[in-house]
Amino acid sequence: EYWLQQTRRDSYEAIKNFITLKAKRENLLDCQKACLATCVSSRFLTYDQSNRLRSFRGAIESGEGVCRDYSVIANDLLASMGVQAEEATGEKVGKANNASVGEEHSMVKVMIDAIPYLLEPQNEFCSFANPEFGQTTTTRLIFLQNTKPQKVN
């Protein structure tokens, strides 16, 4: 089991290094970097609510996580590509991504051209919502609070 955990950690770091180099080499725009981070985060984990107290590292090692784990991964990937982002938590007002109405949900608040957007890192389709103007795409969220980005160990 240790070997598998180490392999998943190494895979994550390799993917992170690859997309960081890709973003620089191809001179990607911030919105393209955000979509790339969403693509990776949505595919790296399988949603598993059975252990909500697992650490980010535990989620990487097991390949399973909850919305917060997806957000931390996307946040980490965005930071590696130089995009300003932070975790955003809020209360769901519509059913999507295994969360019920009223349940707390974690997303990523990303700055693109100095405008904040919410990004759903569990969704493999790149979609943004602007919390300040009430514009939404696939996920509606009442914006409650921001927390600082997680430091990945």
Side-chain angles (χ1 to χ4, degrees), residues 33-106:
K33 293 174 185 176
C35 287
L36 187 56
T38 298
C39 180
V40 172
S41 65
S42 69
R43 288 175 170 88
F44 196 81
L45 297 177
T46 301
Y47 190 85
D48 177 23
Q49 198 169 326
S50 65
N51 188 354
R52 292 178 152 249
L53 301 177
R54 132 185 347 121
S55 68
F56 168 69
R57 187 176 183 149
I60 292 290
E61 291 172 353
S62 70
E64 299 172 334
V66 294
C67 58
R68 184 155 194 265
D69 299 313
Y70 286 87
S71 295
V72 173
I73 287 174
N75 221 347
D76 184 48
L77 297 173
L78 287 163
S80 75
M81 293 185 282
V83 178
Q84 182 184 350
E86 60 186 24
E87 183 181 3
T89 57
E91 182 179 318
K92 291 293 270 192
V93 294
K95 182 154 179 59
N97 297 327
N98 302 316
S100 300
V101 174
E103 185 176 331
E104 186 174 285
H105 186 58
S106 181

Side-chain angles (χ1 to χ4, degrees), residues 38 92-97 105 107 118-130 134-141:
T38 298
K92 291 293 270 192
V93 294
K95 182 154 179 59
N97 297 327
H105 186 58
M107 296 174 78
L118 292 176
L119 180 64
E120 175 55 82
Q122 285 178 253
N123 189 344
E124 64 186 44
F125 304 106
C126 188
S127 60
F128 300 91
N130 186 318
Q135 299 168 353
T136 60
T137 54
T138 58
T139 303
R140 295 182 353 170
L141 182 89

